[in-house]
Amino acid sequence: MMTLHNLGYPRIGDKRELKFALETYWKGEQSEAELAAVAKDIRRRNWQTQLDAGVDLLPANDFAYYDQFLNMSTLLGVIPKRFRQEHYDLEVAFRMARGRAPSDDAAACCAGHAGHEHSEQTSKADYAGAMKKWFDTNYHYIVPELEDDTAFALTDTRLFDEVAEAVEVAGLAKNVKPVLVGPITYLYLAENKGTAIPKLSRLPELLAVYSEILQRLADQGIEWVQIDEPILVLELADEWQQAFQQAYDALSQSSKQPSSQAPLKLLLATYFETLGDNLSLACDLPVAGLHYDGLRGAKQLNDVVAQYPADKVLSIGLVDGRNIWKTDVTDAIAQLQDAKAKFGDNLWVAPSCSLLHVPVNLEVEEKLNSELKNYLAFAKQKLAEIKLLADALNGQVGEKALAANAQAIADKQQSKLIHNADVQARIAKLDQVALDRAAPYAERAAVQKPKFDLPLFPTTTIGSFPQTQAIRQTRLKFKKGEMSEAQYIDAMQAEIRDVCERQERIGIDVFVHGEPERNDMVEYFGEQLDGFAFTQFGWVQSYGSRCVKPPIIFGDVSRPKPMTVFWSQYAQSQTDKTMKGMLTGAVTVLQWSFVRNDQTREATCNQIALALRDEVLDLETAGIHMIQIDEAALREGLPLKKSDWVAYLRWAVNSFRMTTSGVQNDTQIHTHMCYSEFNDIIEAVAKMDADVITIETSKSQMKLLDAFVDFQYPNEIGPGVYDIHSPNIPTVEQMVDLIQKAAENIPAERLWVNPDCGLKTRGWQETEPALTNMVEAAKVLRKQFEAQMKSA
Ligand code: GLN
Ligand code: ZN
């Protein structure tokens, strides 16, 4: 019989129970024991769900209060100096993740009351660990910090308790498969902090702790351990490839040492891409089995099947752990025939990766279109697909289920909901859309300068203004039908008038309308475009207690009517200053959604771009002649393998050009990107040919502008002069200093002055003074530069 296993299950709960429990606990309104009870209940239910679905090997240690990578750090004793204490407890993990734990807040509060019995207690709060994206997912892990005195040692022993819990649910230890991040991926993603010790020199010491962990798991009766080494899908330097050999040779030796139990078997798991040049390495490592992502790694699936030794276990994932579509089970069965012939029962089936990256349960959705619902599968439904697949391969064909699956797949191919002939016809003529603007930047600038008549160092903001409680409430009331459309429009227009007055008072040069009508920069557009659907509970963990609910792009995208013209036009009517129109770019919409899998991402991106192109032209016709298109996620869309970057950047950049190329020369196109790492994409960014780009650079003190300087970026730039993520109010001097730094390298005529991102998460009490100082800083600089120009 073939084994059916799972690599990980979402831990947030059907309705985000973990999020709410965590946040209550962090606020100090619930004890650690109460939080632990919620967590335990989620784990138990998850295992039961998987057991009921017929999963043979239950994943354990896939639960985390905050992050499973952080779990590895506390397990291995990698605790930053600033948070070390005599005895490890859960609060340490929360401090590593968030900078503080509930008792720190209690201590801070007590310190204010003299004579309180805890008043001598000092807070252990300090800055949190850095957070990074887990490969190309929207999940974030806490980056381990390796310091001069980091000493690996088995520290947080929750792993073993959770394994014991799983064994209790499963009944047998051999049906539980603990999941660990492998030593090489752990070291690779860890960062040195204030130390020059080469990371790989720590490997032997690290392996000693892994051996100890594996020994303890063997003592618990565990047979299989899944060891995740997803960096095997990256293009690795030789030393890291050698480290794999060294590490797994050592681990296989130690697992052979005499012990009371049978030796533990390691299932090496990779996912998210092909193995590329690491194929032979991965196939030859001395472990008992390999899990391979047959979807994202499709190009190499045949090679893996051919090359992997037949006497070992090969697990293949053809059920998508990264997307929400039903699997074509008949096709998957066909794809697995060769592997089945070669491996027999040593072929295992699983999702492509952990199911952490998909929503939990489709059943709880009450409002989704029922036809669409029939094309979808969330985590729980994916378990049933794997079961169906395993049964079919085991010769126990579930005829009815298989037929229903095939019917859904066939219906989807024909569906009118999904396929729109008008969109297809337009896409067929895509090559008729010119990607270049009518004239190059220099010529455009020559007509834009007199038209907009802006001072040197023009000031502007990135689009959103504080989303006050009142604004959120108004939107909610309208959504719930507790407010008429006319009342809603009145309220929003009042907000727009308010921000116009404020910008007038502060003295900003280019205005924005403040985006009060937008909940989220992608959802707002998705809700107005055809081809998008929204779930009620389709949450996916992003980091800690934060979850996102990505829209589903299920069909051909089109724009039934203008989306932003009404608001922008109203805003423009309230001021003589130029009002910037504000759109979210196609790549960002794509990146933050679940995307259909029956055509390329490029094709879907082009459809969104065409819809946005119409919006841009409608804005222009309506008298909005400065239009910003945010591409906050352009960089995070970069493929995992550098060799794939060129192709991605070509279509990503073209989608932006397609969106913007139709406007007149004297219409000014802006773009905004919330990051500062441009070194390796600057050429592509320049090809977008926006007249103005605003970026984040304040945190690096303008150092990261170097990419623009070295490349001699030809158009205008607004390097963010203050960090909107901080509540601190920047001083005039600080900002003058930053702009001066920028002006050392970029001609003053091409510099804009703006914050580094939208202001929606800030309050007015910090926004007004910050912007007032920003405008003052621009004035100081204008004086300096005008004087310089006169004397020159
Ligand atoms: N225009 C958006 C805003 O100001 C941009 C947000 C973003 O870049 N993340 O909120
Ligand atoms: Zn931003």
Side-chain angles (χ1 to χ4, degrees):
M1 280 301 215
M2 172 175 319
T3 299
L4 187 173
H5 74 113
N6 185 22
L7 282 77
Y9 201 73
R11 52 208 173 219
I12 54 177
D14 265 15
K15 294 196 168 164
R16 289 184 295 162
E17 291 82 349
L18 184 61
K19 172 195 177 70
F20 300 117
L22 278 170
E23 289 173 0
T24 319
Y25 166 71
W26 289 335
K27 272 192 234 146
E29 291 166 9
Q30 173 168 274
S31 68
E32 191 180 312
E34 287 168 302
L35 171 65
V38 173
K40 189 168 182 177
D41 188 50
I42 291 176
R43 288 194 294 269
R44 188 165 283 274
R45 276 191 282 146
N46 282 354
W47 285 319
Q48 195 59 52
T49 302
Q50 294 175 86
L51 213 52
D52 294 346
V55 173
D56 301 310
L57 272 177
L58 299 181
N61 196 42
D62 56 341
F63 177 84
Y65 280 109
Y66 203 95
D67 162 31
Q68 79 258 16
F69 213 79
L70 177 65
N71 281 1
M72 281 314 293
S73 292
T74 58
L75 175 66
L76 298 166
V78 182
I79 295 170
K81 267 194 201 85
R82 62 188 182 282
F83 295 128
R84 278 180 221 159
Q85 61 185 40
E86 204 168 330
H87 296 290
Y88 173 82
D89 59 34
L90 185 61
E91 295 224 321
V92 174
F94 285 131
R95 286 190 194 105
M96 288 166 70
R98 316 175 57 239
R100 57 199 317 110
S103 69
D104 303 324
D105 296 317
C109 142
C110 290
H113 307 286
H116 191 287
E117 56 176 338
H118 296 304
S119 60
E120 74 283 3
Q121 192 178 339
T122 50
S123 171
K124 294 178 190 147
D126 207 325
Y127 64 94
M131 203 165 64
K132 280 209 172 143
K133 264 179 167 306
W134 178 241
F135 294 79
D136 59 352
T137 72
N138 199 13
Y139 179 79
H140 300 73
Y141 64 95
I142 305 291
V143 180
E145 296 173 20
L146 301 175
E147 297 168 294
D148 47 5
D149 62 348
T150 300
F152 302 112
L154 195 53
T155 298
D156 171 7
T157 51
R158 271 181 300 162
L159 162 67
F160 308 107
D161 302 337
E162 282 181 25
V163 167
E165 269 177 38
V167 171
E168 215 176 281
V169 178
L172 281 172
K174 71 179 184 49
N175 290 344
V176 172
K177 179 193 59 172
V179 182
L180 299 174
V181 176
I184 308 300
T185 294
Y186 184 81
L187 262 191
Y188 190 87
L189 298 180
E191 282 175 15
N192 270 355
K193 195 162 168 247
T195 175
I197 303 175
K199 286 200 282 183
L200 280 173
S201 71
R202 300 183 191 250
L203 186 55
E205 199 198 326
L206 179 62
L207 291 173
V209 187
Y210 270 85
S211 293
E212 199 182 335
I213 295 166
L214 295 178
Q215 186 57 54
R216 279 187 65 164
L217 292 172
D219 292 344
Q220 285 184 287
I222 294 300
E223 185 180 351
W224 281 95
V225 171
Q226 173 186 324
I227 194 141
D228 286 6
E229 291 283 15
I231 66 159
L232 278 169
V233 307
L234 303 180
E235 292 149 319
L236 295 176
D238 291 350
E239 52 169 357
W240 287 98
Q241 290 186 326
Q242 284 153 16
F244 267 104
Q245 200 64 54
Q246 185 193 341
Y248 286 87
D249 284 345
L251 288 180
S252 80
Q253 283 311 316
S254 72
S255 71
K256 277 196 205 110
Q257 269 160 26
S259 143
S260 50
Q261 308 285 337
L264 209 63
K265 296 175 188 164
L266 295 185
L267 179 74
L268 186 77
T270 74
Y271 34 78
F272 301 153
E273 250 298 345
T274 61
L275 284 161
D277 290 345
N278 303 323
L279 175 68
S280 297
L281 171 67
C283 288
D284 295 345
L285 288 176
V287 289
L290 173 72
H291 169 80
Y292 187 72
D293 181 336
L295 293 171
R296 294 197 170 215
K299 273 190 290 188
Q300 258 184 345
L301 180 57
N302 289 337
D303 300 341
V304 171
V305 171
Q307 208 168 319
Y308 206 66
D311 58 343
K312 295 189 182 189
V313 163
L314 180 62
S315 158
I316 299 178
L318 289 177
V319 169
D320 201 345
R322 296 287 301 274
N323 214 335
I324 42 69
W325 302 103
K326 231 174 216 179
T327 308
D328 183 343
V329 178
T330 311
D331 179 62
I333 294 169
Q335 278 202 59
L336 289 176
Q337 287 312 318
D338 286 353
K340 163 95 175 138
K342 175 173 172 181
F343 291 88
D345 285 351
N346 273 346
L347 171 68
W348 289 10
V349 290
S352 62
C353 60
S354 167
L355 296 173
L356 176 69
H357 311 290
V358 291
V360 188
N361 185 5
L362 183 65
E363 285 159 20
V364 296
E365 298 294 330
E366 295 153 345
K367 296 183 179 163
L368 271 183
N369 172 306
S370 63
E371 183 190 339
L372 176 59
K373 208 169 163 180
N374 190 35
Y375 305 149
L376 303 178
F378 292 176
K380 187 173 176 199
Q381 290 68 43
K382 285 173 191 286
L383 295 175
E385 294 184 336
I386 300 160
K387 173 70 173 152
L388 189 59
L389 188 55
D391 281 352
L393 290 165
N394 279 328
Q396 304 164 334
V397 189
E399 300 279 0
K400 257 176 98 182
L402 210 52
N405 174 273
Q407 190 62 52
I409 299 298
D411 289 349
K412 186 176 154 208
Q413 276 160 9
Q414 305 297 326
S415 168
K416 288 237 170 33
L417 192 69
I418 289 177
H419 307 279
N420 175 329
D422 293 341
V423 177
Q424 293 300 334
R426 198 167 171 203
I427 288 287
K429 288 186 288 185
L430 203 60
D431 52 1
Q432 292 173 19
V433 179
L435 295 178
D436 292 327
R437 292 200 46 190
Y441 166 75
E443 267 176 61
R444 302 192 308 257
V447 287
Q448 290 168 14
K449 286 260 140 108
K451 169 170 168 172
F452 295 115
D453 192 26
L454 294 168
L456 209 52
F457 304 108
T459 53
T460 191
T461 60
I462 304 304
S464 59
F465 274 125
Q467 291 244 331
T468 58
Q469 201 54 36
I471 293 178
R472 290 172 198 277
Q473 224 119 59
T474 306
R475 271 206 318 262
L476 197 68
K477 271 192 186 161
F478 178 52
K479 205 172 166 187
K480 281 193 187 155
E482 292 166 15
M483 188 184 244
S484 72
E485 186 169 12
Q487 284 171 318
Y488 173 72
I489 290 175
D490 271 354
M492 289 296 140
Q493 289 183 334
E495 292 295 343
I496 291 172
R497 285 197 302 277
D498 177 61
V499 302
C500 284
E501 278 161 27
R502 288 181 196 256
Q503 293 173 94
E504 205 80 56
R505 220 165 37 231
I506 296 167
I508 302 265
D509 300 306
V510 169
F511 282 20
V512 296
H513 79 286
E515 307 178 20
E517 78 288 10
R518 301 184 190 180
N519 35 4
D520 170 277
M521 63 188 286
V522 169
E523 193 171 311
Y524 180 74
F525 291 93
E527 276 172 353
Q528 299 187 74
L529 289 166
D530 282 350
F532 284 73
F534 293 84
T535 61
Q536 285 166 279
F537 307 104
W539 299 98
V540 179
Q541 187 180 12
S542 174
Y543 60 88
S545 69
R546 185 171 157 79
C547 301
V548 294
K549 191 155 68 65
I552 297 174
I553 309 180
F554 65 83
D556 289 334
V557 176
S558 61
R559 187 192 69 140
K561 57 179 197 295
M563 304 181 281
T564 64
V565 175
F566 174 79
W567 301 112
S568 286
Q569 204 169 18
Y570 177 77
Q572 183 65 84
S573 75
Q574 298 304 305
T575 177
D576 297 331
K577 294 279 172 56
T578 301
M579 180 64 63
K580 259 195 295 188
M582 199 60 60
L583 306 174
T584 302
V587 179
T588 299
V589 172
L590 192 77
Q591 199 58 34
W592 292 347
S593 302
F594 284 119
V595 180
R596 57 193 284 194
N597 64 354
D598 56 348
Q599 62 182 23
T600 60
R601 286 173 77 81
E602 173 181 358
T604 304
C605 193
N606 284 341
Q607 293 183 356
I608 304 168
L610 286 181
L612 289 171
R613 177 183 173 89
D614 295 346
E615 184 73 12
V616 166
L617 294 175
D618 281 344
L619 280 169
E620 187 183 47
T621 308
I624 305 299
H625 293 171
M626 219 184 254
I627 304 169
Q628 177 177 313
I629 295 131
D630 295 323
E631 279 295 16
L634 185 94
R635 192 174 208 292
E636 65 183 63
L638 283 170
L640 291 173
K641 293 198 202 307
K642 272 210 161 163
S643 46
D644 295 328
W645 283 18
V646 173
Y648 161 75
L649 286 170
R650 186 184 30 75
W651 63 254
V653 167
N654 282 351
S655 80
F656 186 88
R657 298 180 355 144
M658 200 181 294
T659 303
T660 54
S661 63
V663 296
Q664 303 294 316
N665 287 334
D666 63 353
T667 292
Q668 191 171 74
I669 297 293
H670 289 223
T671 189
H672 165 70
M673 297 181 190
C674 309
Y675 37 85
S676 42
E677 294 270 0
F678 283 94
N679 287 316
D680 34 23
I681 58 165
I682 187 72
E683 217 169 304
V685 171
K687 280 208 191 96
M688 289 166 68
D689 198 24
D691 296 298
V692 184
I693 180 171
T694 54
I695 55 171
E696 189 269 289
T697 34
S698 59
K699 276 181 278 198
S700 73
Q701 296 286 306
M702 299 286 160
K703 274 198 207 80
L704 289 163
L705 260 185
D706 288 356
F708 287 84
V709 177
D710 296 343
F711 180 76
Q712 302 192 318
Y713 183 79
N715 304 6
E716 290 161 53
I717 311 179
V721 297
Y722 78 89
D723 174 14
I724 62 95
H725 300 97
S726 158
N728 300 338
I729 293 161
T731 64
V732 177
E733 295 70 36
Q734 280 167 346
M735 290 185 279
V736 166
D737 187 51
L738 284 181
I739 307 163
Q740 271 168 343
K741 275 195 186 133
E744 279 167 21
N745 293 305
I746 290 170
E749 306 77 48
R750 288 201 268 118
L751 275 175
W752 285 64
V753 173
N754 44 265
D756 69 353
C757 197
L759 294 158
K760 69 173 172 205
T761 55
R762 296 263 67 94
W764 279 112
Q765 73 283 4
E766 32 219 59
T767 298
E768 279 221 36
L771 292 178
T772 305
N773 288 353
M774 184 184 88
V775 167
E776 186 52 35
K779 285 186 184 151
V780 170
L781 278 149
R782 277 170 208 156
K783 278 220 187 81
Q784 281 180 14
F785 274 77
E786 274 152 18
Q788 267 177 35
M789 283 173 185
K790 259 185 219 136
S791 67

